[in-house]
Amino acid sequence: MDHKSTTKRHSKTVFLNSVDNTKYIELVHSGEDYFVRLKEIIDKSEKEIHLQTYIFENDETGNSIAACLKEAAKRKVKVYVLLDAYGSAALPNSFVEDLIQHGVLLRFFSPLFSLNNFYIGRRMHHKIVVADEKVALIGGINIADKYHGTVASEPWLDYAVQLNCPAASNLQKLCSDYFFKKGSFKKIPPVLHSAGSALVGILQNDWLHRKTEVCDAYTNALIHAEKEIVIVGSYFLPGSIMAKALKKACKKGIKTTVILAGISDVPLVRRATEHLYSSFLIHHMRIYEWNKSVVHGKATVVDNKWSTIGSFNLNSLSCYGSIEMNVEIHSEEFAENLKADFEKVISQCNEVTSDTLSHRAGIFKVLANWVSYQMVRTAMLFLTFLPHLRFLKNYRI
């Protein structure tokens, strides 16, 4: 049964599938928490599994997940694995062939070289596993040791959500469409599924296919924020629309906090982000840097009632280039839980203020950050321009 929304934000959103309170959603952290759950979902699957990820590495973590997938296929579970051809390019052929020989149905999204084109802007950036239309993990965590952590190093800071609700069925349908290349240009309003007292929606972002749900949800949440915005952002380079929304929120007195990378796997992007610090600090945004590991999380809480976690970074590459998927959660209980986790992270961060920034910002560093920003912005424009050309030519995968 469809229900009309009672809020402006969801005037075009469809509500479906009421469920009882035994259905739930859970916040998941990178490290052991995520990978124990991932193995359990695969091991308990009975009919069908979809695993879609940007990076799948041939390391201890990758091999352990591969072993679970092969065991599932041995049990006659249909196992579908979709990997990005660029992100998982380092996988040896022997690794891929071994999975296929054991019954895993595997394909790479958009090989870099094809007969029709060459482009590197549009990537499949999902990090999802869903089994039997009943349970799913969706977030920003890839399959690799750096997300699991080792004896010598902490896992990268990242998040996911475990869904045991009708949204898992919706997610499996979307994953199947991507695996079997059934993408559609139809713009369908997002569906919000009941999960106990919460509402859960799966948001897509695929500009080439006219899907901008994650970007739109973020923009709407920022514009309509009333009290507080907290963001964990990797590769944080918001475009003009989101940057203006964040600054406007600050001007309205909305407490706005971002948790960013103190160290990064892409130092050039970190320098580019640091170039933006001054413009945000002027508007009284609070900036914290995490230095215990790489920040890879993509998570936000607004007004302690709306949350989103997924693969979407606040930059133009996620907005216009890559294929992204997030979960949005309308729940005060979940938002408070996520916010409490952010506060624990903040307690271990270093705050960046105008004073601390001036002490470390010598003329050469300021210049290096400016050059980095120009280089990264130019690169993102180029990477997102190539899919735009394809769109204009009505090219479809």
Side-chain angles (χ1 to χ4, degrees):
M1 180 177 181
D2 294 351
H3 300 276
K4 293 182 179 179
S5 170
T6 58
T7 66
K8 182 178 179 181
R9 159 70 180 85
H10 298 289
S11 59
K12 294 184 178 179
T13 302
V14 181
F15 292 73
L16 294 177
N17 297 327
S18 294
V19 297
D20 60 39
N21 289 328
T22 61
K23 302 296 183 182
Y24 60 93
I25 52 179
E26 290 185 272
L27 176 64
V28 182
H29 301 83
S30 53
E32 192 73 4
D33 184 23
Y34 179 84
F35 289 98
V36 166
R37 291 171 185 265
L38 175 57
K39 289 179 181 179
E40 183 178 7
I41 289 171
I42 296 171
D43 291 344
K44 289 185 176 181
S45 61
E46 298 176 350
K47 297 178 181 179
E48 185 172 334
I49 300 170
H50 282 268
L51 187 150
Q52 300 186 354
T53 190
Y54 182 64
I55 296 173
F56 199 127
E57 291 193 352
N58 181 28
D59 55 18
E60 183 177 351
T61 300
N63 278 279
S64 67
I65 300 304
C68 292
L69 293 171
K70 289 187 287 188
E71 281 298 315
K74 187 177 179 180
R75 300 194 310 269
K76 306 302 180 184
V77 176
K78 293 180 180 179
V79 181
Y80 301 97
V81 175
L82 179 61
L83 306 178
D84 185 75
Y86 178 76
S88 298
L91 272 184
N93 290 336
S94 58
F95 187 99
V96 175
E97 290 169 1
D98 181 57
L99 282 171
I100 294 172
Q101 287 174 3
H102 281 84
V104 175
L105 301 168
L106 183 150
R107 81 174 185 86
F108 287 91
F109 176 86
S110 190
L112 293 181
F113 293 95
S114 73
L115 294 175
N116 297 321
N117 53 36
F118 168 74
Y119 67 98
I120 55 178
R122 189 166 182 261
R123 304 263 46 97
M124 198 285 297
H125 204 230
H126 295 172
K127 288 90 173 173
I128 301 166
V129 63
V130 57
D132 300 331
E133 298 184 280
K134 296 178 180 179
V135 58
L137 281 173
I138 175 170
I141 303 170
N142 288 296
I143 311 299
D145 282 347
K146 52 199 172 190
Y147 301 92
H148 187 282
T150 65
V151 175
S153 62
E154 291 202 18
W156 287 10
L157 179 64
D158 212 335
Y159 295 96
V161 176
Q162 181 166 329
L163 301 174
N164 294 333
C165 63
S169 177
N170 181 197
L171 188 57
Q172 185 161 316
K173 171 66 168 57
L174 294 173
C175 287
S176 179
D177 286 348
Y178 275 107
F179 188 90
F180 292 106
K181 301 183 181 181
K182 295 180 180 178
S184 170
F185 277 75
K186 293 180 180 179
K187 195 164 186 177
I188 302 172
V191 173
L192 285 178
H193 303 270
S194 295
S197 60
L199 291 172
V200 178
I202 305 300
L203 302 174
Q204 300 178 78
N205 223 86
D206 183 359
W207 191 90
L208 186 69
H209 280 187
R210 302 178 187 176
K211 299 182 189 298
T212 57
E213 295 162 12
V214 186
C215 192
D216 293 345
Y218 254 113
T219 304
N220 281 321
L222 297 179
I223 289 173
H224 294 107
E226 297 175 348
K227 297 178 180 179
E228 186 174 16
I229 299 166
V230 188
I231 298 170
V232 173
S234 56
Y235 319 113
F236 183 77
L237 285 168
S240 59
I241 294 175
M242 287 194 189
K244 287 178 182 177
L246 285 168
K247 291 174 182 177
K248 188 174 181 179
C250 292
K251 286 181 179 179
K252 291 193 297 184
I254 296 168
K255 183 180 178 183
T256 305
T257 304
V258 293
I259 302 168
L260 306 176
I263 56 175
S264 176
D265 59 319
V266 189
L268 190 70
V269 175
R270 206 212 73 81
R271 283 187 173 276
T273 297
E274 189 171 344
H275 173 71
L276 299 176
Y277 282 3
S278 294
S279 66
F280 284 121
L281 288 171
I282 289 172
H283 289 85
H284 307 293
M285 180 183 287
R286 302 194 72 176
I287 300 173
Y288 294 89
E289 289 183 342
W290 170 264
N291 289 289
K292 298 181 72 173
S293 62
V294 171
V295 172
H296 194 260
K298 310 97 167 49
T300 297
V301 175
V302 175
D303 291 338
N304 272 0
K305 60 185 180 182
W306 181 86
S307 311
T308 187
I309 294 175
S311 66
F312 185 90
N313 291 302
L314 289 177
N315 60 41
S316 59
L317 194 58
S318 280
C319 284
Y320 304 111
S322 300
I323 299 172
E324 311 283 2
M325 201 160 316
N326 273 38
V327 57
E328 68 168 342
I329 301 162
H330 301 258
S331 164
E332 291 185 8
E333 181 182 359
F334 184 86
E336 289 171 1
N337 184 23
L338 183 56
K339 170 77 180 308
D341 196 278
F342 289 170
E343 289 174 350
K344 289 179 183 177
V345 171
I346 288 172
S347 71
Q348 302 174 66
C349 287
N350 298 319
E351 184 171 7
V352 179
T353 65
S354 297
D355 288 340
T356 60
L357 190 63
S358 64
H359 280 110
R360 71 187 193 186
I363 184 64
F364 292 109
K365 186 167 186 178
V366 170
L367 179 60
N369 290 348
W370 180 85
V371 170
S372 298
Y373 178 78
Q374 300 303 326
M375 290 175 65
V376 172
R377 290 287 290 174
T378 300
M380 285 190 176
L381 285 172
F382 174 72
L383 292 174
T384 57
F385 179 65
L386 294 174
H388 290 189
L389 287 181
R390 293 184 48 181
F391 176 78
L392 293 173
K393 293 178 180 178
N394 292 320
Y395 184 97
R396 306 185 184 190
I397 62 169

